[in-house]
Every structure is written in structure tokens, then in C-alpha cells.
Amino acid sequence: MTVERLGLVVHGGRAEAAEAAHVVRAWCAEHGVRCTDIDVWHEGGRHSAREEVDAAGDPDLIVTLGGDGTFLRGARLAARNDALLLGVDLGRVGFLTEVPASAVHSALDSVREDRIDVESRMLLTVRASRRLELPTDVEALMRYGRGPLLPPPQVRPDCEVDAEWGIPLDVMALNDVVLEKLSRDHQVSVGVYVSGRLLASYSADALLVATPTGSTAYSFAAGGPVVSPRANALVFSPVAPHMAFNRSIVTAPDEPIGLRVLERSGQAAVSIDGQLRGVLDPGDWIGVYAAPRRLRAVRIGPMDFYGRLRERMNLTDAPAAVADGTPAPLWSVTTPPPGDMAHLTLLTAPAGPSPAP
């Protein structure tokens, strides 16, 4: 594909990120590509995604240099501009980033020569009973040691505002939307609705709605299921609920999830992809649903999500598995599938010597 404008999101606290940034800038200079640094942590306070991509000249490719957190920042910008997103892995437990720093030059060549796959991933968006705001005291507390927060979301100008359906907020989440308690000694009480009908009322530390991509983030830590990023679904999970039913629920992509703060609840914070974006009072509500726009992530080769899951979580090192003697082979098959299975996605061993067990 033709790359004319590249936006660069760099993790400022990593020396290897700065080194990789030099490689990206040199590649851009070599190929006559405009390269602009864009990052929410730049001087000048808080910026919306629209302001950042406008300042970068509407890039058609965004490259992130860091871990999954940096990738999430880039995803917010790429989704806003419908740009491609390439994640360079400099983190510790990365599920989102695509290529190692040593391969960034060849990865950019692959993009330019159109030797890539583009993976489409679900995003979440939000409606609310009112505009989200951050009380000054909360903002000051949350900023401690973290840098500037993102601004409260704006209202989407292209959507209808309705008293019953609420205000459409101009936000997109790749991982999750979380409603959580603000006070340590006061849980948040929430009525949860699926497709407009009450499911249950919860008293919990938090309630979250995740995408399949976000199923390996906070949702996983809260006991939620691991869902293939290729799936289309919403995952609802309560965090430390005071009730017997504490299971996650997986809904269809066209089934929105509503969260209404109940009368005797404490205040609730709304976080989007880990960023605090507002505070709700009893009586307020948010509706979380699949966004019509999707993230377009660059893949240099086939996405081995389950291999990455196995490696990141050390799934083959369980004591019981080791005690069973010979470990399970890495690949279950080495040849192409038969005709009746040709419609399935099956990873086979790469060509070359026989894979070791």
C-alpha cells in the first residue's frame, strides 16, 4: 500500500523505543514519507484523539513503539482516522503488538509492498445519560505520578441525542469499558441490562464490558473467559460481586449492555481502555455497544493467538503436565487439511525440518 503520512507513538520511558523510533524516521526519510510524533503525553496538557491526528496531518499508518499500553494509545488514534495500525513489541506481556523491534524496518517494507494482512477488530463505544465529567479533586488524585489524563469525551455530532437513549459519546475502546467504585469502603451498585432488558442487579467493586481483544486484559484478571480476537462478542464480567452469581456473560455483537448506577450506590468511575474518563452519580447510566467502526491492525504473518497465549501464560509448564512424561507436540498436524476441513482455520507447522516434540 502507499504510505504517505506516518504517525509515531513512542513509549518515552524505554531507551529501546527511542532507538526503534530512529529506525522508523530513517525509513520514512528514505521513502519520502512524512513522519510525525503523536502522543497523548506531549506538552500542552490533555488532547482528544481528533486533535492529535489533526496535528499529525491525518496519518494513514500509525506505528506504536512500546507495549500493549502504547498500542492502546495508538489504537485510539488509528480508529479515529481509519488508519492502519502497526504495533512494535517492547513490552513484557504483549498480546496486541505485532513485530519485535529488530524487525521494524522489514515490517515497514512489508506494509509498503503490500505483503501484509489487515486484521479487523471490534471496538466498543458508549452512550450515557449525561456527558461525562471529572471532578477537580478526582482528577488531581488520579494524575499523581501518571501524567495528564485524557479529556472527558465529547458528544458525537453525527448521532441523534435522545432523552431515553442518551447522549452518544465520541469514544472507542479496543479493550474494555469499566464502571468501578470510587470509595474504598463503598461498593458500586448497578442494574445491568442486556438488549434493554434487566438481567440482574450487582453490588461489586467493578463491572466491565470487554471486547474479545480485551478478554486477555482486565477481564481475564477478573476471571473472565479468554476469547479469540477474531470473534465478535461482548464479554460482561463483575469484579468481586456480593452475590452468588459471579459468572461472566458473553453476548452477541448486536446485544448492547447497559449499566445503571442504583439509588443507594456510591459514585462510580468510568474507565475506557484503562483511562479514567468520567464519574457517574446514582441514577446515571451508560450503554456499551459494538462500534460501527473497527480497528484495522497490520499483521505481517498469520496470527498465532493461542501460541502467544501458551507462551505468555507458560501453559505447558504446569506440574501435572511435566509429571506426564513426554510433553505434547507443539503442532498437532503438519500437512494441509482434508477437503471437508478446508473451510476451517488450522495452523500447521512451517515448511522445513520436522518440528521437535
Side-chain angles (χ1 to χ4, degrees), residues 64-90:
T64 68
L65 305 174
D68 282 357
T70 308
F71 186 90
L72 287 173
R73 298 184 206 168
R76 184 171 62 90
L77 306 174
R80 159 57 64 188
N81 210 47
D82 198 29
L84 287 179
L85 179 63
L86 173 65
V88 178
D89 186 12
L90 299 169

Side-chain angles (χ1 to χ4, degrees), residues 152-168:
Q154 300 297 309
V155 177
R156 287 183 60 186
D158 58 335
C159 295
E160 181 181 353
V161 176
D162 182 89
E164 188 170 18
W165 290 94
I167 298 171

Side-chain angles (χ1 to χ4, degrees), residues 30 45 47 56 72 107 131 146 196 247 262 273 286 302 322-323 326 334:
E30 177 184 352
H47 303 284
L72 287 173
R131 296 184 64 161
R146 298 182 59 182
R247 298 295 190 267
L262 299 180
D273 279 349
I286 59 171
V322 174
T326 303
T334 59

Side-chain angles (χ1 to χ4, degrees), residues 118-262:
V118 177
E119 185 176 75
S120 174
R121 293 205 176 192
M122 174 187 282
L123 297 165
L124 299 177
T125 191
V126 176
R127 277 182 175 256
S129 55
R130 63 175 175 84
R131 296 184 64 161
L132 296 183
E133 297 176 349
L134 286 173
T136 304
D137 53 346
V138 171
E139 184 175 7
L141 176 63
M142 296 302 296
R143 285 188 60 176
Y144 179 75
R146 298 182 59 182
L149 297 175
L150 291 173
Q154 300 297 309
V155 177
R156 287 183 60 186
D158 58 335
C159 295
E160 181 181 353
V161 176
D162 182 89
E164 188 170 18
W165 290 94
I167 298 171
L169 300 181
D170 194 12
V171 296
M172 278 173 282
L174 176 60
N175 268 358
D176 49 44
V177 177
V178 180
L179 194 65
E180 55 192 328
K181 67 179 185 180
L182 271 179
S183 174
R184 182 181 179 87
D185 61 351
H186 205 317
Q187 289 194 313
V188 61
S189 297
V190 178
V192 176
Y193 296 76
V194 177
S195 292
R197 188 174 178 85
L198 181 66
L199 169 70
S201 295
Y202 291 82
S203 181
D205 283 356
L207 300 111
L208 64 91
V209 182
T211 64
T213 298
S215 71
T216 54
Y218 188 7
S219 178
F220 177 81
V226 174
V227 181
S228 167
R230 299 180 59 207
N232 286 315
L234 278 68
V235 181
F236 164 76
S237 296
V239 180
H242 276 209
M243 60 189 299
F245 185 74
N246 61 357
R247 298 295 190 267
S248 298
I249 295 174
V250 181
T251 73
D254 60 352
E255 295 176 331
I257 297 176
L259 306 172
R260 182 182 294 274
V261 184
L262 299 180

Side-chain angles (χ1 to χ4, degrees), residues 329-353:
L330 184 59
W331 301 91
S332 62
V333 292
T334 59
T335 58
D340 63 309
M341 299 181 72
H343 63 291
L344 303 178
T345 299
L346 294 168
L347 292 176
T348 59

